[in-house]
Amino acid sequence: FNKAVELADNYLNAFYNRGTLYAKLKRFPEALKDLDKALELNKSHPESYNERGAILVYLGRREEALDNFQLAVLYDPGYVNAYNNRGAVYSGLREYDIAVRDFKQAIRLDPQFAPAHYNLSYAYFMKQDYEKAWASLQKAVDLKYDVDPGYVQTLEKAIKK
C-alpha cells in the first residue's frame, strides 16, 4: 500500500486499504491519518467512515464514532455493518431502544448477518425482554455465529425466573 500511495497520492483505495491495515495492526494514529486522507479525496466514502468509527470506538471516543457511523449510513443506506456498529455503540451507551432499531435495520438489509442477530439478542436482554433475546440468539446460532456460552447460561437463567 505504501508503494501505491507513493505512486498516486490521490488514489482513494490506497489510503483506505493502508488505513484499514494500520487499524488491524493497532497503529491508530496512522490509520486515522490515512482514512482522513481517503475522505479528503472522497467525502462520501462510507467504508472510510465506518472504519474510522470502529477505531474511535476502540479509543473510547464513542460520540465521535457515532458521528462516523451516521455518515457511513447516510452515504450508503444499505451498509449493514455500519448499522450493526452504530447499534453496538448505542448498546454501550445503554440506549437499547436505538440499538434495537439499528440491529433490526441491519437484519432487514441482510437477514443472514449473524452479528446483528447476536447483538440484537443482547440489547433485548438488557431491556429484560428475554423471549426476544432468546429468539435472536437462536437465529445467531442457526447462522453459525460463535456465541459466548456464559451469555447463553445467563439468558437461560433469566428466562427461568
Side-chain angles (χ1 to χ4, degrees), residues 9-104:
D9 66 354
N10 64 345
Y11 184 48
L12 168 89
N13 286 334
F15 286 102
Y16 170 73
N17 289 332
R18 189 172 71 175
T20 59
L21 177 62
Y22 281 144
K24 285 180 181 31
L25 297 172
K26 298 194 181 344
R27 293 170 56 181
F28 299 122
E30 293 130 314
L32 289 171
K33 182 179 175 187
D34 276 355
L35 295 168
D36 288 345
K37 179 63 178 177
L39 289 167
E40 282 177 30
L41 296 169
N42 179 355
K43 292 265 188 250
S44 61
H45 190 245
E47 293 84 359
S48 292
Y49 287 114
N50 189 61
E51 189 67 30
R52 282 186 95 258
I55 292 167
L56 293 167
V57 167
Y58 189 86
L59 296 174
R61 296 160 52 186
R62 293 188 285 193
E63 293 298 330
E64 290 176 78
L66 281 175
D67 292 341
N68 279 267
F69 295 136
Q70 180 61 32
L71 288 165
V73 299
L74 174 71
Y75 291 118
D76 182 356
Y79 200 166
V80 174
N81 204 31
Y83 281 106
N84 185 62
N85 288 341
R86 189 173 71 178
V89 173
Y90 279 123
S91 221
L93 294 171
R94 298 184 176 156
E95 297 282 349
Y96 300 113
D97 290 332
I98 301 170
V100 164
R101 183 193 69 209
D102 276 350
F103 297 138
K104 283 183 168 184

Side-chain angles (χ1 to χ4, degrees), residues 59-159:
L59 296 174
R61 296 160 52 186
R62 293 188 285 193
E63 293 298 330
E64 290 176 78
L66 281 175
D67 292 341
N68 279 267
F69 295 136
Q70 180 61 32
L71 288 165
V73 299
L74 174 71
Y75 291 118
D76 182 356
Y79 200 166
V80 174
N81 204 31
Y83 281 106
N84 185 62
N85 288 341
R86 189 173 71 178
V89 173
Y90 279 123
S91 221
L93 294 171
R94 298 184 176 156
E95 297 282 349
Y96 300 113
D97 290 332
I98 301 170
V100 164
R101 183 193 69 209
D102 276 350
F103 297 138
K104 283 183 168 184
Q105 180 61 18
I107 292 165
R108 268 191 290 280
L109 292 167
D110 182 358
Q112 303 304 306
F113 190 67
H117 289 282
Y118 187 75
N119 290 335
L120 180 60
S121 173
Y122 178 76
Y124 279 137
F125 174 80
M126 295 307 293
K127 289 172 50 93
Q128 299 181 343
D129 191 338
Y130 303 128
E131 297 303 321
K132 286 183 181 177
W134 185 256
S136 295
L137 179 64
Q138 284 303 122
K139 183 64 179 173
V141 169
D142 291 347
L143 293 169
K144 310 290 189 249
Y145 192 74
D146 186 21
V147 301
D148 176 4
Y151 171 62
V152 175
Q153 290 175 345
T154 301
L155 181 54
E156 285 174 337
K157 286 178 188 174
I159 290 171

